[in-house]
Amino acid sequence: MPERIAEKGVLQAGRCESAARCGGRFWLAIDSRRDQSCGAGVMAAERTGRHLRWLCVAFPAVVAAAVCWYWTLGRSSPPLGITDAEWREAEVAAVRRLGRAPVRAEVCLTLARQAIRDGQSEKAFVCFAAIPADDPEHGLQAEFERSSLCLEESRAGAAEAGFQKILAAARGGVPVPTRQRLFSLRSLSLLYGVQMRTGRRAEILKQLMDERAADVHEAKYHFFPSLLVWQNDWGASRVRSYLGHEPDSRPLQNAAARYLTGEGRLDDARQQLERLHGADPRDLETVAFLLECCREQNDTARFEAICEGLPAETSAEPLLLMEHRGVWLLGREAWSQAEACFQRLLQRDRSNPAACQGLAECYGRLQRPELRAEYMERSAVLARLRIGLGPAVPENPGAIRAVADWSRELGMLDAAEVFDFFAGRGAPTALP
C-alpha cells in the first residue's frame, strides 16, 4: 500500500512537471509579443503564470507530505500480539472495502474477520478486545461478532454476557439491527435450553412470542416447557464442551449433573449434586436437581430432609422445585397445602403434567370427585400432547393442527391460535 501511494505521488509529480514545461513555453511566447501588447494585459498574465508555476511545484510536495503523514504519524498502531505486517495488510483491506482511510476500530474488525476465516479465533478475540465497548459506531458491532464467535467456540458464559449486553442496549434505545437482536435472543434461548435454565429461557421465549418472531419449535417450548424431553445426547455433549472452557461455571455444573441423572448414572449425579449443594445450599437449581436424583434413587429420607429445610416459596423459584414441594406435601398427606402448591404451579405452567396428576390425587383424597375427574382428563390430554409434540414440525402441518386441537381441549386458546396459524401456512418459519 505505501509503495502504491508513493508511485501515485510520483505519477502526479510527473504530470505537474510536464504541465510546468508547457506553461514555460506558453509564457515565452507571451514574452515575445510583449512589445506588441498593452502593458496592463501583459502584467496580469504574467502574475497568473507565476501562480500556476507555484502550484505545479507545490502540489506534488503537498501530496508527498500527506502520504508521509498517514504512513507515519496518521496510522494507528496494532493491538498487542498483532504484527505490523498483519496490521498493514488489514489496513489495505479496510481501505479497499471502505474506499477511504479507516479508523482503528475498522481495521480491528477487518483483521478479526480475516482471523475467523483463517480459523485463528484467539487472534480474533484480541482484535475484538481492542475495540472500546463505548465506541458509539463500532462497539456493539464488535460485541455481536465477538459473542457469536464465543458461541461457536463453546464459551457459553462469555456468549451469554455479550448477547445480554446487546439486548440491554436495545432496551435502552440504542439502535440495534433487527437481525442481530433476534439472533441474540435465539442464541440465549439455545444456551439456556441446553443448560436447563427454564426460567431464563421462558423470559427469552416470551420476547420472541411478543414480537411475533417465534418459529414452531420456539412456540412449543414457550407453551409446553414441561412436556418436551430435556434429556438428549446433543445437549449433554454441548454442556460438557462448555465446561471445558468454563469449568467453574455453576449453571454448567448443575446441568452436567442433571444430564448424568437422565443417563441413569445416578451415583455420579448424586455425588456431584451433593458437592454443589454443600458449596452453596442457596442455589435452588441445584436443590431441584438433587431432589430429582433422590426420587430416582428412592431415597425418601434424604428427599424429606432437604424439603424440610427449603426456604419459603417464591414466584421465581424453579418449576421443578415447586413440583417437588407438592410431591413432598402429598407424602405428608397435607392435601390442602399440596392442592394450593400444585395450583400455583399450574398458574406458571399451564401444561404441567405433574401438577395435574397431583391435583387429581388431592381432589380424590378431599372427596371432590368432579374435580378429580377433570384433572384426570387433563392428564390424559397432556399425555397425548407429549407424544404429539415431536412430530409437530413445519413439514408436518397435520401434526401441528393436532397440537392446536389439544391446546383447545386444555383451554389454552392462545396456543391453539398460534399453532393453527403455523398449520395453515404449511411450513412457516415464524409468526408474521
Side-chain angles (χ1 to χ4, degrees), residues 322-343:
M322 290 188 71
E323 176 186 330
H324 294 320
R325 285 183 188 273
V327 170
W328 174 59
L329 291 169
L330 285 178
R332 298 179 65 188
E333 299 184 0
W335 312 121
S336 296
Q337 290 175 276
E339 175 204 0
C341 180
F342 285 128
Q343 286 289 5

Short mmCIF file of all heavy atoms in Angstrom, two decimals, residues 322-343:
data_model
loop_
_atom_site.label_atom_id
_atom_site.label_comp_id
_atom_site.label_asym_id
_atom_site.label_seq_id
_atom_site.Cartn_x
_atom_site.Cartn_y
_atom_site.Cartn_z
N MET A 322 -40.92 -26.42 42.59
CA MET A 322 -42.32 -26.35 43.01
C MET A 322 -42.98 -27.72 42.90
O MET A 322 -43.79 -28.11 43.76
CB MET A 322 -43.08 -25.33 42.15
CG MET A 322 -42.71 -23.90 42.38
SD MET A 322 -43.80 -22.74 41.51
CE MET A 322 -45.31 -22.92 42.48
N GLU A 323 -42.64 -28.46 41.87
CA GLU A 323 -43.17 -29.82 41.72
C GLU A 323 -42.75 -30.69 42.90
O GLU A 323 -43.57 -31.43 43.47
CB GLU A 323 -42.67 -30.42 40.41
CG GLU A 323 -43.08 -31.87 40.21
CD GLU A 323 -42.44 -32.48 38.97
OE1 GLU A 323 -42.17 -31.74 38.01
OE2 GLU A 323 -42.22 -33.71 38.98
N HIS A 324 -41.48 -30.60 43.30
CA HIS A 324 -41.00 -31.40 44.43
C HIS A 324 -41.69 -30.99 45.72
O HIS A 324 -41.99 -31.83 46.58
CB HIS A 324 -39.48 -31.25 44.58
CG HIS A 324 -38.71 -31.83 43.44
ND1 HIS A 324 -39.05 -33.01 42.82
CD2 HIS A 324 -37.59 -31.38 42.79
CE1 HIS A 324 -38.18 -33.27 41.85
NE2 HIS A 324 -37.30 -32.29 41.82
N ARG A 325 -41.95 -29.70 45.89
CA ARG A 325 -42.69 -29.25 47.08
C ARG A 325 -44.05 -29.93 47.16
O ARG A 325 -44.47 -30.41 48.22
CB ARG A 325 -42.89 -27.73 47.05
CG ARG A 325 -41.68 -26.88 47.36
CD ARG A 325 -42.10 -25.42 47.35
NE ARG A 325 -41.00 -24.49 47.45
CZ ARG A 325 -40.45 -24.06 48.59
NH1 ARG A 325 -40.92 -24.51 49.74
NH2 ARG A 325 -39.46 -23.20 48.58
N GLY A 326 -44.74 -29.94 46.02
CA GLY A 326 -46.05 -30.56 46.00
C GLY A 326 -45.99 -32.05 46.30
O GLY A 326 -46.83 -32.58 47.06
N VAL A 327 -45.02 -32.75 45.73
CA VAL A 327 -44.87 -34.19 45.98
C VAL A 327 -44.59 -34.44 47.47
O VAL A 327 -45.11 -35.39 48.08
CB VAL A 327 -43.75 -34.76 45.10
CG1 VAL A 327 -43.40 -36.19 45.51
CG2 VAL A 327 -44.15 -34.71 43.63
N TRP A 328 -43.73 -33.58 48.04
CA TRP A 328 -43.42 -33.72 49.47
C TRP A 328 -44.67 -33.54 50.32
O TRP A 328 -44.91 -34.30 51.28
CB TRP A 328 -42.35 -32.70 49.84
CG TRP A 328 -42.02 -32.63 51.30
CD1 TRP A 328 -41.56 -33.65 52.09
CD2 TRP A 328 -42.13 -31.48 52.14
NE1 TRP A 328 -41.35 -33.20 53.38
CE2 TRP A 328 -41.69 -31.87 53.44
CE3 TRP A 328 -42.52 -30.16 51.94
CZ2 TRP A 328 -41.67 -30.99 54.52
CZ3 TRP A 328 -42.48 -29.28 53.00
CH2 TRP A 328 -42.07 -29.69 54.28
N LEU A 329 -45.49 -32.54 49.99
CA LEU A 329 -46.73 -32.31 50.75
C LEU A 329 -47.71 -33.47 50.59
O LEU A 329 -48.41 -33.83 51.54
CB LEU A 329 -47.37 -31.00 50.30
CG LEU A 329 -46.60 -29.73 50.67
CD1 LEU A 329 -47.16 -28.51 49.95
CD2 LEU A 329 -46.62 -29.51 52.19
N LEU A 330 -47.73 -34.07 49.39
CA LEU A 330 -48.57 -35.26 49.21
C LEU A 330 -48.11 -36.38 50.14
O LEU A 330 -48.93 -37.10 50.74
CB LEU A 330 -48.51 -35.74 47.76
CG LEU A 330 -49.27 -34.93 46.71
CD1 LEU A 330 -49.04 -35.54 45.33
CD2 LEU A 330 -50.77 -34.89 47.02
N GLY A 331 -46.78 -36.56 50.23
CA GLY A 331 -46.25 -37.60 51.10
C GLY A 331 -46.59 -37.37 52.56
O GLY A 331 -46.73 -38.34 53.34
N ARG A 332 -46.76 -36.13 52.94
CA ARG A 332 -47.13 -35.80 54.31
C ARG A 332 -48.64 -35.79 54.50
O ARG A 332 -49.13 -35.48 55.60
CB ARG A 332 -46.56 -34.43 54.69
CG ARG A 332 -45.04 -34.36 54.65
CD ARG A 332 -44.55 -32.98 55.02
NE ARG A 332 -44.88 -32.64 56.40
CZ ARG A 332 -44.71 -31.44 56.95
NH1 ARG A 332 -44.20 -30.45 56.21
NH2 ARG A 332 -45.02 -31.21 58.20
N GLU A 333 -49.37 -36.08 53.44
CA GLU A 333 -50.85 -36.10 53.44
C GLU A 333 -51.42 -34.73 53.80
O GLU A 333 -52.50 -34.61 54.38
CB GLU A 333 -51.39 -37.18 54.40
CG GLU A 333 -50.95 -38.58 54.01
CD GLU A 333 -51.55 -39.66 54.87
OE1 GLU A 333 -52.34 -39.32 55.80
OE2 GLU A 333 -51.28 -40.85 54.62
N ALA A 334 -50.69 -33.71 53.43
CA ALA A 334 -51.18 -32.33 53.62
C ALA A 334 -51.92 -31.94 52.34
O ALA A 334 -51.41 -31.19 51.50
CB ALA A 334 -50.02 -31.39 53.91
N TRP A 335 -53.14 -32.48 52.18
CA TRP A 335 -53.84 -32.40 50.90
C TRP A 335 -54.17 -30.97 50.50
O TRP A 335 -53.98 -30.59 49.32
CB TRP A 335 -55.13 -33.23 50.96
CG TRP A 335 -54.95 -34.61 51.51
CD1 TRP A 335 -55.57 -35.15 52.61
CD2 TRP A 335 -54.07 -35.63 51.01
NE1 TRP A 335 -55.14 -36.43 52.84
CE2 TRP A 335 -54.23 -36.76 51.86
CE3 TRP A 335 -53.18 -35.71 49.95
CZ2 TRP A 335 -53.52 -37.94 51.67
CZ3 TRP A 335 -52.48 -36.88 49.75
CH2 TRP A 335 -52.65 -37.98 50.59
N SER A 336 -54.63 -30.17 51.42
CA SER A 336 -55.00 -28.79 51.06
C SER A 336 -53.77 -27.96 50.69
O SER A 336 -53.79 -27.17 49.74
CB SER A 336 -55.74 -28.12 52.23
OG SER A 336 -56.96 -28.78 52.48
N GLN A 337 -52.68 -28.16 51.44
CA GLN A 337 -51.45 -27.44 51.12
C GLN A 337 -50.88 -27.89 49.77
O GLN A 337 -50.40 -27.08 48.98
CB GLN A 337 -50.41 -27.66 52.22
CG GLN A 337 -50.75 -26.98 53.54
CD GLN A 337 -49.74 -27.34 54.62
OE1 GLN A 337 -49.83 -28.38 55.27
NE2 GLN A 337 -48.75 -26.46 54.78
N ALA A 338 -50.96 -29.19 49.53
CA ALA A 338 -50.48 -29.72 48.26
C ALA A 338 -51.32 -29.18 47.10
O ALA A 338 -50.79 -28.81 46.05
CB ALA A 338 -50.52 -31.25 48.27
N GLU A 339 -52.66 -29.11 47.32
CA GLU A 339 -53.53 -28.56 46.27
C GLU A 339 -53.13 -27.13 45.93
O GLU A 339 -53.00 -26.76 44.76
CB GLU A 339 -54.99 -28.59 46.74
CG GLU A 339 -55.94 -27.93 45.77
CD GLU A 339 -57.22 -27.45 46.43
OE1 GLU A 339 -57.38 -27.62 47.66
OE2 GLU A 339 -58.05 -26.87 45.70
N ALA A 340 -52.91 -26.31 46.95
CA ALA A 340 -52.54 -24.91 46.72
C ALA A 340 -51.20 -24.82 45.99
O ALA A 340 -51.03 -23.99 45.08
CB ALA A 340 -52.48 -24.16 48.05
N CYS A 341 -50.27 -25.68 46.35
CA CYS A 341 -48.95 -25.66 45.71
C CYS A 341 -49.07 -26.03 44.23
O CYS A 341 -48.50 -25.36 43.36
CB CYS A 341 -48.03 -26.63 46.43
SG CYS A 341 -46.36 -26.71 45.73
N PHE A 342 -49.83 -27.09 43.92
CA PHE A 342 -49.96 -27.50 42.52
C PHE A 342 -50.77 -26.48 41.70
O PHE A 342 -50.51 -26.30 40.51
CB PHE A 342 -50.63 -28.88 42.45
CG PHE A 342 -49.71 -30.01 42.84
CD1 PHE A 342 -50.10 -30.95 43.79
CD2 PHE A 342 -48.46 -30.14 42.26
CE1 PHE A 342 -49.27 -31.98 44.15
CE2 PHE A 342 -47.62 -31.18 42.61
CZ PHE A 342 -48.01 -32.11 43.56
N GLN A 343 -51.72 -25.81 42.33
CA GLN A 343 -52.46 -24.77 41.61
C GLN A 343 -51.53 -23.61 41.25
O GLN A 343 -51.62 -23.05 40.15
CB GLN A 343 -53.64 -24.27 42.45
CG GLN A 343 -54.81 -25.24 42.54
CD GLN A 343 -55.58 -25.34 41.23
OE1 GLN A 343 -55.21 -24.76 40.21
NE2 GLN A 343 -56.68 -26.11 41.25
#
